[in-house]
Amino acid sequence: MRREAPLRPNACPAWVFPNPGGTGYSRTKWAPALFEPVAAQGIASLTAPIRLTLEYDIRVQLAAGRLDPALAQPILARLASDPVPEIANAA
């Protein structure tokens, strides 16, 4: 399913999470350019279900050889120390 959302000029976010609530039956292929903003500022603003979904998305891309581990490492390191045990253990 394709969805579009209008954005105000000069108000474009650095990144957008494509699976709101982490409840979709799909995986997201993250572009390499999005990893730095998410690692730098995005993780703290994500809910626990979305952090877990992000982690699974990253793991799937790593297993398929579609993601440079060096890009994923900063995010996975932060998720490994997540206060939610399910997220930290999955890291």
Side-chain angles (χ1 to χ4, degrees):
M1 171 188 312
R2 182 181 174 149
R3 293 186 182 185
E4 295 182 18
L7 298 173
R8 296 182 313 252
N10 301 321
C12 189
W15 60 275
V16 176
F17 194 81
N19 186 357
T23 59
Y25 290 102
S26 60
R27 291 283 168 229
T28 301
K29 181 179 178 188
W30 287 82
L34 294 176
F35 280 91
E36 185 177 330
V38 170
Q41 59 187 305
I43 291 177
S45 66
L46 300 177
T47 64
I50 292 176
R51 291 192 310 274
L52 188 59
T53 300
L54 171 62
E55 187 166 348
Y56 289 155
D57 287 344
I58 291 171
R59 295 284 181 197
V60 167
Q61 283 185 254
L62 287 171
R66 295 183 180 148
L67 179 62
D68 180 354
L71 291 174
Q73 183 54 36
I75 295 175
L76 293 176
R78 290 197 55 198
L79 293 171
S81 62
D82 197 277
V84 177
E86 291 82 0
I87 296 170
N89 291 337

